[in-house]
Amino acid sequence: MIKAILTDIEGTITRITFVKDILFPYAAARLPSFVEAHQDDAFVAEQINAVREEIGSPQASIDDVIQALLTWIKEDKKITPLKQLQGLIWQTGYEQGDFKGHLYPDAMAFLNAQHQAGLALYVYSSGSVKAQHLLFAHSDFGDIRPLFKDYFDTNVGGKKDPQSYRNILNALPVEAAEILFLSDVVDELDAAKEAGMRTLQLWRDNQATSPSHPKIEHFEQFNSELLA
Ligand SMILES: CSCCC(=O)C(=O)COP(=O)(O)O
Ligand SMILES: [Mg+2]
């Protein structure tokens, strides 16, 4: 019996184009000046050093670090220091009302219904926990953070690695087989399934599919028989 839902964000409950066409360009445009201005703040300095480590260049200049980050944004790399910095930059955009966190209406209705039915809702996204909080605090449907019990990002590991899901399981009060993981990406669903979770693909954008995972095009198609 499913007792908890672990959901991806982009492509599953949020439109991919919101992330790719609004959030990523917003961060790219502001990242150079943000990193320059905040390079001595402890958290930002930690991320800068993590970038240097990732590119194998402990002495890399701030310009080199910025170039690496901008390249990762272009290539949609889910590298932890980039995701952490993006979260900080998006804060201004949300607070100024430059954009709201997009949520598909069918996803909102589904999350509400599952919450009301007593299921525990958790989030696992490559976007940092801070970025997740911001999106849900400033969503199209207002502040929906009370729906979620906990949030996970790449600090538990990458989303295509089964160990990341085992790390999440260690933090949750339910068994693997009692968790339904929702994602649009087959590699992520494969990893969650290998860790013992149930899986369901949201197939909204013509992504690759797999016979290993049931799929729906939107949450109005959800029914428990899919998981039988
Ligand atoms: C939390 S909003 C920003 C989403 C993001 O940065 C991202 O890389 C999307 O990854 P996801 O794991 O939600 O598909
Ligand atoms: Mg996704």
Side-chain angles (χ1 to χ4, degrees):
M1 185 185 153
I2 298 298
K3 294 186 180 164
I5 290 175
L6 177 67
T7 185
D8 166 55
I9 296 183
E10 180 192 0
T12 299
I13 59 172
T14 291
R15 197 189 303 284
I16 289 177
T17 51
F18 168 65
V19 176
K20 299 241 186 313
D21 298 345
I22 296 179
L23 290 183
F24 286 179
Y26 188 93
R30 288 155 184 82
L31 187 135
S33 58
F34 181 88
V35 171
E36 292 269 3
H38 297 278
Q39 58 184 293
D40 295 326
D41 298 0
F43 184 75
V44 174
E46 202 181 300
Q47 308 316 312
I48 290 169
N49 285 332
V51 173
R52 290 182 171 128
E53 195 175 315
E54 184 76 30
I55 62 177
S57 178
Q59 306 303 328
S61 66
I62 283 294
D63 282 351
D64 290 344
V65 167
I66 290 169
Q67 276 320 308
L69 287 162
L70 292 175
T71 303
W72 293 344
I73 293 180
K74 255 192 220 130
E75 296 172 354
D76 191 9
K77 291 277 170 63
K78 311 294 192 188
I79 298 177
T80 301
L82 166 66
K83 306 315 287 183
Q84 296 294 329
L85 291 168
Q86 282 177 322
L88 296 180
I89 297 167
W90 291 329
Q91 179 163 8
T92 312
Y94 283 112
E95 286 176 356
Q96 286 181 176
D98 292 339
F99 43 77
K100 283 186 170 194
H102 175 265
L103 279 177
Y104 285 108
D106 60 278
M108 186 63 224
F110 172 79
L111 293 169
N112 257 329
Q114 299 303 318
H115 180 67
Q116 274 169 24
L119 275 79
L121 305 183
Y122 299 95
V123 184
Y124 180 30
S125 169
S126 301
S128 67
V129 167
K130 180 176 183 74
Q132 298 172 29
H133 279 268
L134 285 165
L135 190 153
F136 295 135
H138 302 273
S139 90
D140 292 337
F141 297 91
D143 184 354
I144 63 158
R145 286 173 297 174
L147 285 179
F148 300 104
K149 267 198 144 70
D150 210 349
Y151 303 80
F152 301 91
D153 63 17
T154 54
N155 281 314
V156 298
K159 293 181 73 189
K160 298 178 181 173
D161 181 354
Q163 186 56 44
S164 306
Y165 298 84
R166 293 187 196 109
N167 294 340
I168 291 173
L169 281 167
N170 286 337
L172 300 188
V174 282
E175 299 297 316
E178 296 170 329
I179 301 179
L180 176 63
F181 176 60
L182 308 171
S183 176
D184 57 325
V185 174
V186 166
D187 288 347
E188 296 175 6
L189 294 162
D190 286 345
K193 191 167 180 173
E194 200 173 318
M197 294 182 187
R198 308 295 305 271
T199 53
L200 177 63
Q201 182 176 26
L202 268 294
W203 190 61
R204 298 182 186 270
D205 299 283
N206 218 21
Q207 301 94 326
T209 60
S210 160
S212 302
H213 311 287
K215 70 173 195 301
I216 53 177
E217 290 168 41
H218 48 76
F219 284 106
E220 281 154 25
Q221 292 175 345
F222 180 85
N223 67 71
S224 48
E225 280 165 31
L226 287 163
L227 309 174

